[in-house]
Amino acid sequence: MERWLKSVAVVTGASSGIGAAIAKDLANAGLIVVALARRIERVEEIRAELSPKVQPNFYAIKCDVTDRNAVNETFDWIEENLGGIDILINNAGTLFTGQIVTADIDKMQNVLQTNIMGVVLCTQRAFKSMKARKVDGHIVNINSITGHYIPSLAEPLMMNIYPASKYAITAINEIVRQEVRDLGTRIKITVSFC
């Protein structure tokens, strides 16, 4: 972890769960953390829990990864104020219960926008920053086991479009890995399962 000291790490979906834990751990390990979430008040609470020594290097920023303008404004701010992105943790995700055959289309569209296009938007901006500065950065995509396997249960899963969005992350991860390799960068792409 010493290699990454004072590096800028962006964590999406940092208001709770895995995203909150990752953001805290990275900050406590000496990285500069930009914690993104729609529920900014929860990220501010996480920041307040950190030691006074760590708090100055933890930035809580309201950002909805489904909103292209919000993503661009946020990443522009990071570039202007922190110099760029070294690590991106794509963690933001959403789901709701319901069946594909009966669920509200707008709710399923939101899942796809958050779980797929949010990853793409943030990955493009992080890649641009890393490539421009010739940084051997790292992009981590948090995925789900349902991105590789959908269990067959007696009870309906009621996950509707969520597994499809996570299968997409599996594919995107491999495609981006090949793209950054073919473009001659040393940016690493990793998928992590929760």
Side-chain angles (χ1 to χ4, degrees):
M1 205 61 172
E2 193 171 297
R3 168 190 173 204
W4 298 105
L5 282 177
K6 298 297 179 190
S7 294
V8 175
V10 177
V11 182
T12 69
S15 62
S16 64
I18 294 167
I22 291 170
K24 284 192 275 190
D25 285 351
L26 292 175
N28 286 324
L31 282 76
I32 298 167
V33 173
V34 182
L36 308 182
R38 291 174 300 163
R39 299 174 298 185
I40 192 66
E41 65 284 346
R42 293 178 88 172
V43 183
E44 291 288 359
E45 290 170 9
I46 293 164
R47 184 180 186 276
E49 294 170 5
L50 297 170
S51 75
K53 179 181 168 188
V54 173
Q55 286 181 10
N57 289 324
F58 190 95
Y59 298 86
I61 299 180
K62 182 177 180 132
C63 182
D64 180 348
V65 298
T66 68
D67 180 340
R68 184 184 312 180
N69 290 332
V71 170
N72 284 330
E73 288 171 11
T74 299
F75 279 76
D76 287 347
W77 182 91
I78 296 167
E79 292 283 338
E80 292 167 14
N81 292 280
L82 302 176
I85 298 100
D86 302 306
I87 301 166
L88 170 64
I89 311 291
N90 278 313
N91 173 69
T94 190
L95 74 148
F96 70 97
T97 58
Q99 299 171 324
I100 287 179
V101 295
T102 59
D104 180 270
I105 292 295
D106 290 335
K107 287 183 178 180
M108 287 193 284
Q109 183 65 39
N110 184 58
V111 170
L112 295 175
Q113 284 300 118
T114 304
N115 297 2
I116 299 172
M117 293 311 298
V119 169
V120 172
L121 287 169
C122 293
T123 296
Q124 285 185 343
R125 288 303 307 263
F127 171 75
K128 181 180 176 185
S129 175
M130 292 172 192
K131 188 169 189 286
R133 296 177 300 117
K134 296 182 172 70
V135 169
D136 296 344
H138 205 119
I139 298 171
V140 178
N141 295 315
I142 305 297
N143 205 344
S144 164
I145 193 67
T146 63
H148 289 276
Y149 169 76
I150 301 171
S152 178
L153 302 173
E155 294 290 320
L157 291 176
M158 301 291 283
M159 288 191 286
N160 56 74
I161 205 78
Y162 178 79
S165 73
K166 292 306 181 174
Y167 265 86
I169 294 305
T170 300
I172 288 168
N173 200 70
E174 180 56 23
I175 291 165
V176 172
R177 188 191 66 75
Q178 291 179 27
E179 287 176 348
V180 298
R181 177 200 64 206
D182 294 347
L183 289 168
T185 74
R186 293 172 36 129
I187 298 168
K188 301 293 182 231
I189 310 297
T190 303
V191 66
S192 181
F193 297 99
C194 60

